[in-house]
């Protein structure tokens, strides 16, 4: 899959920003999701991993590495079916997708600090219609830049309120991570 062509970008560094813009525009998001599903009809596996590791991740500085399918299968087999799934350092959603592909039901909460990973994570969850809450924040400091809710055919960015912080056991809002 040519991710840059899919997103209509020339350079890989443009992909996260362009994808985030698409995500925040419901019509464009639905169009991209349809195009993606036509190219990638098997949604049981994450398909951006190689592109992301090669083009976007900071493997040296941040030690970002993404879960191989074999490890995802092993972890999903060990934990079995769960009604509540928390994926800390969720990256672009590989482990969550593994769990979902085996057990479509459940409540999913995914936390991720990387602004480059976040659009791919949101898109991966949306295209599979995984109902999830995504916290773009620092799991250790318990602060968030944003919180997103994915339901049915939309992604909603929550308002920065004290109630949202309390609901997700967060200490505060931050402008940058």
């Amino acid at each position: 899959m040519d991710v840059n062509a899919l997103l209509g970008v020339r350079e890989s560094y443009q992909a996260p920003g362009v994808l985030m813009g698409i995500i925040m525009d419901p019509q464009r998001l639905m169009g991209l999701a349809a195009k993606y599903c036509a190219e990638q009809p098997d949604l049981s596996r994450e398909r951006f991993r190689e592109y992301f590791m090669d083009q976007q991740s900071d493997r040296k500085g941040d030690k970002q590495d993404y879960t191989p399918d074999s490890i995802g299968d092993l972890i999903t087999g060990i934990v079995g079916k769960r009604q509540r799934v928390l994926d800390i350092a969720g990256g672009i959603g590989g482990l969550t997708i593994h769990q979902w592909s085996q057990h479509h039901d459940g409540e999913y909460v995914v936390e991720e600090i990387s602004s480059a990973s976040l659009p791919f994570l949101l898109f991966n969850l949306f295209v599979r219609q995984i109902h999830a809450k995504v916290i773009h924040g620092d799991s250790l400091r318990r602060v968030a830049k944003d919180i997103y809710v994915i339901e049915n055919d939309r992604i909603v960015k929550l308002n920065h309120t004290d109630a949202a912080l309390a609901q997700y056991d967060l200490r505060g809002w931050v402008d940058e991570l």
Side-chain angles (χ1 to χ4, degrees):
M1 170 174 51
D2 185 343
V3 176
N4 288 351
L6 178 72
L7 297 176
V9 299
R10 185 165 179 228
E11 302 287 335
S12 297
Y13 76 87
Q14 299 168 313
V18 167
L19 183 53
M20 197 64 184
I22 292 169
I23 284 169
M24 300 318 297
D25 180 335
Q27 277 189 313
R28 290 175 62 206
L29 177 58
M30 293 298 284
L32 181 63
K35 186 176 179 181
Y36 177 87
C37 288
E39 289 183 25
Q40 304 293 326
D42 177 9
L43 299 176
S44 67
R45 297 285 191 220
E46 199 291 310
R47 303 290 181 211
F48 292 122
R49 182 179 56 235
E50 295 304 319
Y51 168 84
F52 200 85
M53 284 179 19
D54 290 343
Q55 302 296 323
Q56 299 293 333
S57 70
D58 184 359
R59 296 177 86 184
K60 192 172 191 174
D62 288 341
K63 308 295 184 230
Q64 287 179 321
D65 229 335
Y66 294 85
T67 308
D69 288 337
S70 58
I71 300 297
D73 290 339
L74 180 66
I75 292 170
T76 298
I78 290 170
V79 300
K81 184 177 182 176
R82 294 284 186 251
Q83 285 305 111
R84 299 183 74 194
V85 176
L86 172 61
D87 187 353
I88 297 173
I92 57 177
L95 282 176
T96 297
I97 292 166
H98 275 277
Q99 180 68 20
W100 168 83
S101 71
Q102 298 299 313
H103 315 289
H104 281 42
D105 299 329
E107 174 186 344
Y108 294 87
V109 177
V110 184
E111 298 182 2
E112 177 55 43
I113 196 170
S114 169
S115 295
S117 299
L118 185 75
F120 290 90
L121 170 62
L122 292 171
F123 184 76
N124 268 329
L125 298 173
F126 176 81
V127 79
R128 289 166 176 82
Q129 298 182 355
I130 299 174
H131 291 199
K133 282 81 174 174
V134 175
I135 299 168
H136 181 201
D138 185 327
S139 298
L140 297 177
R141 293 184 7 218
R142 300 306 303 152
V143 296
K145 183 175 179 185
D146 289 305
I147 300 172
Y148 299 86
V149 176
I150 301 159
E151 294 178 328
N152 303 321
D153 61 349
R154 62 190 182 130
I155 298 175
V156 176
K157 185 165 112 174
L158 299 183
N159 292 325
H160 290 197
T161 65
D162 290 340
L165 291 174
Q167 182 178 356
Y168 296 98
D169 193 29
L170 297 166
R171 293 184 182 141
W173 297 105
V174 295
D175 293 326
E176 292 300 321
L177 294 167

